[in-house]
Amino acid sequence: MKIETQKTWSTVDKYRWSEYIRPVRMTVWTWRICGLYNAKPQTPLYRAYRIVFNVVLMVVYLFTLSFNMFVMQTFEQLVLYIMYIVFTEIVMVLKALITYYKFDQICYLYRQTLDSDFKPVDAEEEQLHRKGIGEINYYFYLYITTTHLAIASSLLYLLHQDYRMPYFPWVMGIAYGSTERLNFGIMFAYQVVGMYFHMLINVAIDVQLCYFLGMIGIQLDVLGKRFRMIQTSEQFGNSFMTLINQYQKLHKMTRNIEQLYSPAFFAQFSASGLVICATAFKTSSMFNVYELTAIQNLLYMLAMMFQMFLPCRFGNEVTRKSHLLRTSIYSSRWFEMGLYDRKTVHMLLQRMNKPLTLKAYYFFNYNLQAYTTTLNMAYSVYALLQRNALKKS
């Protein structure tokens, strides 16, 4: 099943990005800066910029990072490096490819959230809308602050006297150190800037998903309110089809989002537990020797936990609110309606027995249970690594 796009916009202006909330506008700027903005037509200057950006900060950076697996001194370093860095970069690349090649589909989903069906019609719905948008903004600012602190903490490596690089030691054979300070400064800045843009790509796609799921959650609240307001058979007849069509639209939107983001978030769910575990192990090992750079690893671990938490939290809300929708329907004055309308309500309740859920490739659920399960798995592997480390010492 392919995502249907009813309309393709030919110019950038028709996207009207200024109408969206700040997290969405931040996503769009990330697309543009990182060469992922794939609207048509594009100027030759932007196409040239995209090529230069991708070669310098994607291809070369990822090649250099990946090659460092062959210079790890011990097998333990190799395993931690793969778990700590490589898995994260694989997820980032998948997210970047989805953004670029599915650009029109993502923009179509964005436009759906501005349709008239998503607009509040009274004060109560306006309050529900503001509350939902406030939650999206709250988690956005919390997430973006944590990730920026994680990147900024890499500057702590400058406090060491041994001229260590923040992310990978081998830099295409270029010598650096106390006798090559200029090379060290350039390569250090290259690694930090490269990781910063990789972080922005990760955050942008995470924010996209949270925005879509958050808007679906808002609409489920609004639908629940509208069902509860039905008092008579006449009201039921006038609003029933409109409400059902709105629910079907949300159901289809949920399936489209699930299909669109499944590859990236399947990889993220698969890798997150190992990455969190590796980061925790590395951080605890550093604390044992009082290294300042343990702060970087701690912040990185918190950022990874947020990255895992956000889709689980908003996906869980979609499932919870769609389940509560049945209660809202039952809370209407259905018992005062005619026999035909009561039968229709009964069939509707049966239709909604299965709440809206999202899965990454039909395997990982977007809910808080998946989040806690991942953390439990990460802690189990961490405890095993710690036990083995203590035996060796």
Side-chain angles (χ1 to χ4, degrees), residues 53-186:
F53 181 92
N54 286 328
V55 169
V56 175
L57 286 177
M58 295 293 286
V59 178
V60 174
Y61 192 96
L62 290 173
F63 168 77
T64 308
L65 185 149
S66 301
F67 194 85
N68 276 265
M69 289 189 293
F70 300 100
V71 298
M72 296 292 102
Q73 296 179 358
T74 65
F75 177 74
E76 184 180 71
Q77 286 180 331
L78 174 63
V79 172
L80 287 175
Y81 185 82
I82 293 174
M83 293 168 64
Y84 182 65
I85 295 292
V86 175
F87 286 157
T88 305
E89 294 303 306
I90 290 174
V91 173
M92 184 279 301
V93 170
L94 284 173
K95 291 179 179 179
L97 292 174
I98 288 173
T99 299
Y100 183 78
Y101 288 105
K102 304 294 184 179
F103 184 85
D104 286 338
Q105 296 173 1
I106 293 172
C107 290
Y108 174 65
L109 289 172
Y110 272 129
R111 294 305 303 171
Q112 281 188 293
T113 64
L114 293 185
D115 285 348
S116 58
D117 294 339
F118 279 71
K119 302 293 185 183
V121 297
D122 57 31
E124 184 178 352
E125 292 185 10
E126 183 68 34
Q127 184 178 2
L128 291 172
H129 191 269
R130 282 199 305 268
K131 180 182 177 182
I133 293 297
E135 290 179 353
I136 296 172
N137 284 324
Y138 170 77
Y139 284 108
F140 164 72
Y141 287 119
L142 200 59
Y143 185 30
I144 199 71
T145 300
T146 304
T147 51
H148 274 77
L149 287 174
I151 297 297
S153 64
S154 61
L155 299 177
L156 291 171
Y157 278 86
L158 295 174
L159 300 177
H160 288 274
Q161 301 299 318
D162 54 356
Y163 294 90
R164 277 192 287 171
M165 290 292 176
Y167 297 108
F168 44 91
W170 184 85
V171 190
M172 302 180 68
I174 300 174
Y176 61 89
S178 58
T179 59
E180 301 288 348
R181 293 185 179 181
L182 179 60
N183 288 349
F184 173 76
I186 294 174

Side-chain angles (χ1 to χ4, degrees), residues 172-225:
M172 302 180 68
I174 300 174
Y176 61 89
S178 58
T179 59
E180 301 288 348
R181 293 185 179 181
L182 179 60
N183 288 349
F184 173 76
I186 294 174
M187 292 299 103
F188 192 97
Y190 175 71
Q191 288 194 16
V192 173
V193 171
M195 191 59 69
Y196 178 76
F197 283 115
H198 287 201
M199 176 273 293
L200 281 182
I201 294 173
N202 261 314
V203 170
I205 280 75
D206 293 337
V207 170
Q208 286 174 18
L209 180 62
C210 293
Y211 172 77
F212 292 141
L213 297 182
M215 294 301 293
I216 291 174
I218 292 172
Q219 290 309 300
L220 289 172
D221 284 335
V222 170
L223 273 179
K225 173 260 178 185

Side-chain angles (χ1 to χ4, degrees), residues 87 264-275 308 363-364 374 377:
F87 286 157
F265 284 91
F266 176 82
Q268 180 167 304
F269 276 82
S270 301
S272 289
L274 295 176
V275 173
M308 182 72 179
F363 190 75
F364 295 107
T374 301
M377 181 194 72

